[in-house]
Amino acid sequence: MMTTDALPSRCDLAGWLTDAAQAIAGILVAEYDTPASRSYLTPLLGPLSAGPRVVGELNERLEDLLDEPLPTTPVGLFALASYASALGWLTESLTELTTSVDAICTRAGLPALEPGEHPVPAPAEEEGFDHCFNDAETAAIRTAADAAGMEPDAYVDVLVGALRAAAAITDACMEISSGLIEDAQYIVEEAASEVRIGEGPGSLPTLVRSLLSRLETTQ
């Protein structure tokens, strides 16, 4: 926790990033009681319920800094850049998760479509995908599909979509959390008296470099 009567130390800044990393990692182990009729959403409802709360807490912590001496040293700015990048990346990832859940619910018939609307089609990579299950798995799918009021093929379709979305939010949270930890360790272990900023991409926080790399990849 940062003190309010002095500029934050390296340990303060590292602790700030570490706390954020732990909160973000916790999104992946959040639990949510899913009714049998919506069992295909089981991989998503935990992160979907915990994610906005974590974003809110991280935002509040950032706002609280306005009442404290703001970091103005290079190492302080380094920590702020890492934290802000993590918060932005997490917010974007949760927005994508919400969009995926909306699409899955629409494909499952929830909510009911209004006149003139059309179901969201399955992603192209899922078309023609062959699912091979043994007898026990087939029986379990039939039971789950029956509880959800769906045909087995339709149930598998939305479940695959849920698993893809769960993998995406898992990858994002793990990368954000590990990036924050790396930056926290760098702040504490860096032998130089100052962390250099603005002297090449290698001096930027891990998450900033990751985001820049993603932007270059999409261009």
Side-chain angles (χ1 to χ4, degrees), residues 45-161:
L45 294 186
L48 189 65
S49 63
R53 174 182 55 77
V54 172
V55 168
E57 291 173 353
L58 297 182
N59 265 316
E60 288 179 6
R61 183 68 190 103
L62 190 59
E63 292 173 358
D64 286 344
L65 290 177
L66 297 177
D67 298 326
E68 302 177 6
L70 292 175
T72 56
T73 61
V75 68
L77 295 175
F78 180 95
L80 277 176
S82 177
Y83 189 94
S85 297
L87 183 54
W89 191 340
L90 178 61
T91 301
E92 177 187 356
S93 298
L94 289 173
T95 298
E96 293 173 353
L97 175 63
T98 301
T99 300
S100 296
V101 171
D102 286 343
I104 291 167
C105 288
T106 301
R107 284 158 58 188
L110 300 171
L113 296 175
E114 296 294 333
E117 291 185 342
H118 301 282
V120 177
E125 63 268 20
E126 292 182 23
E127 295 180 359
F129 188 85
D130 293 328
H131 304 287
C132 298
F133 304 105
N134 59 35
D135 291 343
E137 291 169 336
T138 299
I141 289 171
R142 290 186 180 280
T143 299
D146 183 62
M150 302 173 66
E151 292 296 325
D153 287 347
Y155 183 88
V156 169
D157 176 62
V158 293
L159 180 59
V160 168

Side-chain angles (χ1 to χ4, degrees), residues 39-53:
S39 59
Y40 48 86
L41 292 176
T42 299
L44 302 177
L45 294 186
L48 189 65
S49 63
R53 174 182 55 77

Side-chain angles (χ1 to χ4, degrees), residues 159-197:
L159 180 59
V160 168
L163 292 173
R164 291 182 188 276
I169 191 64
T170 296
D171 289 346
C173 287
M174 290 180 65
E175 187 166 1
I176 295 168
S177 180
S178 64
L180 286 167
I181 292 296
E182 287 181 24
D183 288 342
Q185 292 174 340
Y186 180 71
I187 287 173
V188 173
E189 297 173 359
E190 176 61 28
S193 59
E194 293 184 345
V195 175
R196 294 175 298 172
I197 294 179

